[in-house]
Amino acid sequence: MAAKNVLGIIFSNAYDEVIPQVTSHRTMGSVPFAGRYRLIDFQLSNMVNAGIPQVGILTNSNYRSLMDHIGNGKAWDLARKRDGLTILPPFNHPDTGVFKGKIDALFGSIGYISDSGKDYVLITDCNVVCDIDYDALLEFHIERNAEITLAYARNVKSQLATAMEYEVESYGRISEIRYADPFGDDSSNSLKMMVINRTLLERLLHEASLKRITDFEQLLSENCGNLRVYGYRHNGYAKIIEDLKSYYDANLDLLKPEVRRALFPADKPVYTKTSDKVPAVYGINSVVKNSLIADGCRIDGEVENSILFRGVTVSKGAKVKNSIIMQDTFISENAEVESVITDKDVSIGARKKLCGADNYPVYIGKGINI
Amino acid sequence: MARKQECIAMLLAGGQGSRLGILTKNIAKPAVPYGGKYRIIDFPLSNCVNSGIHTVGVLTQYQPLVLNDYIGNGQPWDLDRADGGVHILSPYQQIKGTEWYKGTANSIYQNIKFIERYDPEYVLILSGDHIYKMDYSKMLDYHKANKADCTIAMIEVPWEEASRFGLMIVNPDGSISEFEEKPENPRSNKASMGIYIFNWKKLRQYLIDDEANENSGNDFGHDVIPAMHKAGERMFAYQFDGYWKDVGTIDSLWDSNLDLLNPKVDLDLDDDSWKIYSRSPVAPPHYVGENAKIENSMITEGCEIDGSIDFSVLFANVKVEEGANVKYSIIMPGTVIKKGATVQYSIVAENTVIEEGATVGRSPEEMENIEDWGVAVIGNGIKIGKDVKVAPKAMVDTDMGGEA
């Protein structure tokens, strides 16, 4: 029940730059994923499923689609009088302008954080897709009497220059926080999720602001030695989305039954905004194999190894293979797409053919007609 | 006192729907699942909201648990409102005693106080057993333009079916000259849809008089409407063109679901201008496996399909294992159809398990005597054991076969 004493903070914009194609008009948090979700749904649901009652979502830019998705938080049961969900728009200091790093962002919302009155703050990005048990993480944090607990996983190496790895001692104590070596052996890789005692967070933010430190990782790394920092290992499935390829792979990963079971356990639903679309309709001669199909789709053609988001039309004679087809894409008669990611509202003309490479997809921007 | 509303709706949802047999054993008819992700009541509720009517009283009596739970605070239909919104109205105890709703008119009579809180000019009476999309605001305009006291929605039905309906003989100006209740030799094919708009002040008085009349059955169709007609009130028929189906029997429920797969049927649920809202299950998109074969079907979230599906409607979280065959069937939420099982011409209710090799239902062509054919129905939570055969037209409400 400690979860009711937790404030969740989600960075919705972190890593926008790593998949510029999909985030040019939205935040990382509102990137569509798995046929009917946005990336932020996974973190929000993890928090809600653990019983965390209050969540603030930090935004920086392009957050209209995020606000549209989140609304008042009703879909996550976070439309409440007490606690509940708040979108935290960028707080511009007259002297700094729009914030630069995570420290700035948190510092801009420091009033919100301290007003929450919670003892613990759970801070996370939303580019890691996983079903992590925050309740267990919190229990671990309290039981170890930790000041900071960082979540990590093995076998999820990130290729980003900003990726961190931890030196985890026995009993979970973290002795070193360093930038990950992308070519090194498997290590304890940061999942960019942490629990920190609120008063400590406030103190660190004030110090960092005085010292003009803007990099959160640097702050953690500097303080690792003189604080009680622990590592909590997440053993389940986790996938880091850090470029177009990993976004593509993470989507197609869902075609594996074990991945679907890991991300969508029956007792811990992933909540999202509902759209009241009709069920998917399959026409005569439709052929669908190994695919994930959302409501509102109309399929008269062939679909294989693909993810179809809500409201996609695959017309007669059209073929879709190894592709991620986002909301309301229209694929006309006899068109063929393979290894393609189409953003929302794309239209592929009759008999047009589009093909990416086996190991790298072609991306078609929002609303483009081909 | 709530804010005055021009028109409020009262939805009669208390009937048992006994003709649906075991499907309504534990739930009221309006709560019966329909069309892959809806329940019947989603249609009148969505029609209300889409027509701009935001105050709806839902009269419940028979097995209201699932229905109450489903409607909740009305949020899926945008009916969680500060002014009006959806209200569940069950019979309640009063000083003079406790009474169940004796009939449709009596159920409204017992809720006169609820209606008066909104001081409406008009009251729209709806039932919870039809599938249709209708703009009630147009009917209200028609009612006002005719300065009517009562307007009854009417649809032209095929002459050969007319004797099953309550019929109206309508004058050229739209006013109703005569009613005929299920006549043997119909003189009209204009059937009442069970949708009425009344001037509230008039209706209120008729309800009070009807209640005082000991010989009355307290029913709108049998008592109140004829009384108004006899007294010479202005009564008009409002013609509706479009899809409208009573889903009160097993056959019509089955038919109406399969109508959704027929492109010639005029019932488009994928219509952004007239959405049918529902309380959606929280489940991922459905997965279609390597060996699945799906044609002419409707499938929704949470399903896992590895078998073959033809001309069927699958609700949320249905699993169809490899080698299983589903044809011309309606499979309600949470049901599992195991390897090699065959389900055809059937309605399978929620959370049912059809074990390996079992067969449920049969196609009419296979029948020696077509009289014996009918849609097979499996009740909620039933288990059909391995290799068990369920005959066509059967209604199964206890587990069948299989090792204990």
Side-chain angles (χ1 to χ4, degrees):
Chain A
M1 288 310 288
K4 74 180 201 319
N5 205 359
V6 177
L7 165 67
I9 296 277
I10 301 177
F11 285 104
S12 65
N13 282 92
Y15 309 105
D16 278 3
E17 68 285 356
V18 300
I19 36 174
Q21 298 92 335
V22 215
T23 54
S24 67
H25 51 272
R26 51 169 85 91
T27 64
M28 183 61 110
S30 45
V31 166
F33 186 72
R36 65 174 297 215
Y37 303 96
R38 307 284 184 144
L39 285 180
I40 200 166
D41 293 339
F42 291 83
Q43 280 306 336
L44 272 176
S45 300
N46 285 336
M47 289 183 181
V48 169
N49 285 330
I52 294 173
Q54 185 179 6
V55 181
I57 300 174
L58 283 164
T59 59
N60 190 351
S61 55
N62 296 340
Y63 55 91
R64 193 205 56 80
S65 74
L66 182 79
M67 291 183 67
D68 181 45
H69 179 68
I70 300 290
N72 63 356
K74 176 76 204 161
W76 299 266
D77 265 347
L78 284 173
R80 304 187 190 175
K81 277 188 184 176
R82 193 174 153 181
D83 301 325
L85 185 137
T86 311
I87 290 186
L88 304 167
F91 186 90
N92 297 1
H93 298 278
D95 48 341
T96 59
V98 174
F99 61 74
K100 308 231 170 21
K102 287 184 174 176
I103 301 234
D104 256 3
L106 286 168
F107 196 67
S109 292
I110 199 159
Y112 171 79
I113 292 169
S114 54
D115 285 351
S116 74
K118 308 288 184 214
D119 288 341
Y120 311 101
V121 183
L122 170 65
I123 303 175
T124 163
D125 294 343
C126 45
N127 68 322
V128 179
V129 181
C130 66
D131 165 35
I132 184 172
D133 186 346
Y134 281 140
D135 207 29
L137 188 154
L138 201 66
E139 221 169 84
F140 175 94
H141 178 82
I142 292 166
E143 191 234 325
R144 296 290 199 276
N145 196 22
E147 291 173 295
I148 297 176
T149 299
L150 302 163
Y152 70 91
R154 312 285 292 192
N155 301 317
V156 284
K157 207 162 239 332
S158 163
Q159 301 302 314
L160 291 184
T162 54
M164 308 299 283
E165 61 184 27
Y166 308 137
E167 197 58 51
V168 186
E169 307 292 331
S170 58
Y171 205 58
R173 185 83 185 239
I174 290 181
S175 58
E176 193 191 346
I177 298 173
R178 58 173 180 260
Y179 285 106
D181 172 4
F183 305 105
D185 292 339
D186 184 40
S187 53
S188 301
N189 303 289
S190 163
L191 288 176
K192 310 267 178 182
M193 301 165 194
M194 62 181 265
V195 170
I196 179 168
N197 294 350
R198 192 195 86 233
T199 46
L200 172 67
L201 175 66
E202 289 175 32
R203 201 187 84 213
L204 288 177
L205 288 176
H206 279 291
E207 280 175 21
S209 136
L210 288 175
K211 292 188 201 157
R212 303 256 180 253
I213 299 175
T214 57
D215 183 19
F216 203 62
E217 272 73 32
Q218 190 193 341
L219 183 72
L220 286 182
S221 168
E222 276 183 15
N223 285 287
C224 185
N226 48 33
L227 293 170
R228 295 176 55 79
V229 182
Y230 279 80
Y232 170 84
R233 180 167 174 183
H234 168 65
N235 287 309
Y237 177 84
K239 188 94 183 171
I240 301 176
I241 292 173
E242 54 186 6
D243 53 23
L244 198 64
K245 175 75 167 83
S246 59
Y247 172 73
Y248 176 72
D249 291 345
N251 269 291
L252 292 185
D253 235 13
L254 293 160
L255 298 177
K256 298 175 190 150
E258 66 275 15
V259 173
R260 284 198 305 279
R261 273 196 298 275
L263 279 182
F264 304 109
D267 57 335
K268 286 166 79 186
V270 181
Y271 298 96
T272 189
K273 182 185 165 190
T274 56
S275 69
D276 293 280
K277 289 269 191 197
V278 284
V281 178
Y282 292 77
I284 295 179
N285 299 327
S286 72
V287 179
V288 179
K289 292 199 179 317
N290 193 38
S291 295
L292 207 57
I293 315 282
D295 277 4
C297 288
R298 164 87 220 182
I299 303 173
D300 291 298
E302 293 179 25
V303 180
E304 198 181 339
N305 301 334
S306 296
I307 313 285
L308 268 54
F309 283 69
R310 290 159 172 169
V312 168
T313 305
V314 179
S315 309
K316 229 169 98 187
K319 286 185 179 148
V320 177
K321 208 175 159 186
N322 304 335
S323 294
I324 316 296
I325 309 293
M326 287 190 211
Q327 206 175 320
D328 295 328
T329 293
F330 191 93
I331 299 175
S332 309
E333 287 190 13
N334 301 312
E336 290 181 26
V337 298
E338 188 176 338
S339 303
V340 164
I341 299 175
T342 64
D343 209 314
K344 278 173 80 170
D345 298 318
V346 165
S347 170
I348 313 272
R351 292 178 303 282
K352 293 282 184 282
K353 288 192 169 73
L354 278 172
C355 187
D358 284 355
N359 58 355
Y360 204 87
V362 173
Y363 168 81
I364 313 293
K366 188 175 172 180
I368 288 178
N369 287 311
I370 292 185
Chain B
M1 191 77 181
R3 207 165 98 190
K4 182 180 169 68
Q5 309 272 349
E6 186 191 30
C7 179
I8 74 170
M10 298 295 274
L11 206 166
L12 307 168
Q16 177 185 351
S18 53
R19 289 174 303 155
L20 285 173
I22 53 175
L23 289 180
T24 51
K25 192 174 163 191
N26 297 311
I27 57 176
K29 178 156 72 167
V32 169
Y34 171 85
K37 65 187 293 190
Y38 308 96
R39 293 184 189 262
I40 297 169
I41 198 168
D42 288 331
F43 288 80
L45 281 181
S46 301
N47 285 338
C48 278
V49 172
N50 290 333
S51 304
I53 295 169
H54 297 291
T55 304
V56 184
V58 178
L59 299 132
T60 64
Q61 175 157 287
Y62 173 79
Q63 290 284 7
L65 207 60
V66 172
L67 190 62
N68 291 356
D69 207 32
Y70 184 70
I71 293 172
N73 67 350
Q75 190 267 336
W77 304 270
D78 275 347
L79 286 171
D80 52 335
R81 298 203 147 216
D83 262 319
V86 66
H87 298 261
I88 305 267
L89 304 168
S90 305
Y92 56 93
Q93 205 168 26
Q94 303 176 47
I95 284 179
K96 61 179 198 283
T98 312
E99 253 187 341
W100 291 105
Y101 293 150
K102 288 180 287 180
T104 51
N106 174 259
S107 69
I108 304 295
Y109 171 81
Q110 290 201 35
N111 286 289
I112 285 179
K113 284 209 182 87
F114 168 81
I115 297 171
E116 304 246 281
R117 286 167 57 194
Y118 299 98
D119 187 21
E121 298 298 318
Y122 310 101
V123 172
L124 168 68
I125 307 286
L126 302 167
S127 66
D129 25 11
H130 299 105
I131 301 297
Y132 64 111
K133 298 198 300 184
M134 179 173 177
D135 188 343
Y136 304 134
S137 69
K138 288 189 180 150
M139 179 170 166
L140 182 60
D141 290 344
Y142 178 85
H143 178 85
K144 287 194 238 173
N146 286 314
K147 298 193 166 56
D149 297 307
C150 168
T151 299
I152 302 173
M154 164 272 278
I155 187 162
E156 289 184 355
V157 295
W159 279 96
E160 60 273 20
E161 291 175 25
S163 58
R164 290 180 17 224
F165 293 91
L167 302 172
M168 295 180 273
I169 294 164
V170 180
N171 297 321
D173 68 346
S175 62
I176 299 167
S177 75
E178 244 180 281
F179 290 94
E180 280 191 317
E181 191 61 26
K182 299 181 184 165
E184 233 169 86
N185 301 306
R187 287 185 292 146
S188 159
N189 68 336
K190 295 174 164 52
S192 162
M193 297 166 68
I195 301 167
Y196 314 108
I197 292 179
F198 293 99
N199 286 4
W200 171 237
K201 287 196 180 73
K202 273 268 156 68
L203 176 63
R204 186 176 184 279
Q205 194 52 53
Y206 276 94
L207 288 176
I208 291 169
D209 296 347
D210 179 68
E211 188 61 20
N213 177 0
E214 279 177 20
N215 299 321
S216 172
N218 308 113
D219 183 83
F220 272 104
H222 285 111
D223 307 295
V224 175
I225 304 271
M228 287 182 84
H229 187 58
K230 209 169 146 197
E233 304 290 357
R234 289 180 64 81
M235 305 184 78
F236 282 78
Y238 172 75
Q239 181 153 357
F240 173 75
D241 305 299
Y243 185 89
W244 176 78
K245 196 143 196 165
D246 182 328
V247 284
T249 65
I250 295 293
D251 286 348
S252 65
L253 180 66
W254 182 76
D255 268 347
S256 182
N257 271 284
L258 295 186
D259 277 349
L260 292 169
L261 305 174
N262 183 349
K264 290 187 192 118
V265 169
D266 177 27
L267 177 66
D268 181 13
L269 299 185
D270 191 13
D271 173 1
D272 281 344
S273 69
W274 205 269
K275 272 194 180 182
I276 303 301
Y277 300 96
S278 65
R279 197 175 281 281
S280 298
V282 182
H286 69 270
Y287 173 76
V288 181
E290 202 66 59
N291 300 310
K293 193 168 183 304
I294 307 176
E295 285 188 79
N296 304 307
S297 294
M298 227 174 184
I299 299 181
T300 190
E301 282 153 351
C303 290
E304 300 253 345
I305 312 296
D306 290 296
S308 93
I309 317 282
D310 198 7
F311 269 107
S312 295
V313 175
L314 270 56
F315 287 71
N317 301 318
V318 168
K319 289 191 176 39
V320 179
E321 295 187 356
E322 214 172 309
N325 266 297
V326 178
K327 270 203 281 194
Y328 292 93
S329 292
I330 318 302
I331 315 289
M332 292 182 183
T335 285
V336 180
I337 298 172
K338 300 222 171 146
K339 283 195 179 96
T342 299
V343 175
Q344 50 182 344
Y345 298 87
S346 300
I347 297 178
V348 179
E350 298 173 55
N351 303 314
T352 301
V353 179
I354 313 289
E355 286 289 349
E356 287 179 27
T359 59
V360 177
R362 225 198 268 174
S363 80
E365 297 91 63
E366 288 175 289
M367 300 299 294
E368 281 167 23
N369 184 358
I370 195 72
E371 295 296 309
D372 297 336
W373 183 82
V375 174
V377 183
I378 312 289
N380 257 6
I382 297 299
K383 192 166 161 185
I384 302 297
K386 207 171 163 207
D387 300 323
V388 167
K389 290 195 176 5
V390 176
K393 221 177 193 169
M395 271 219 185
V396 182
D397 69 345
T398 46
D399 291 357
M400 277 175 79
E403 55 277 39

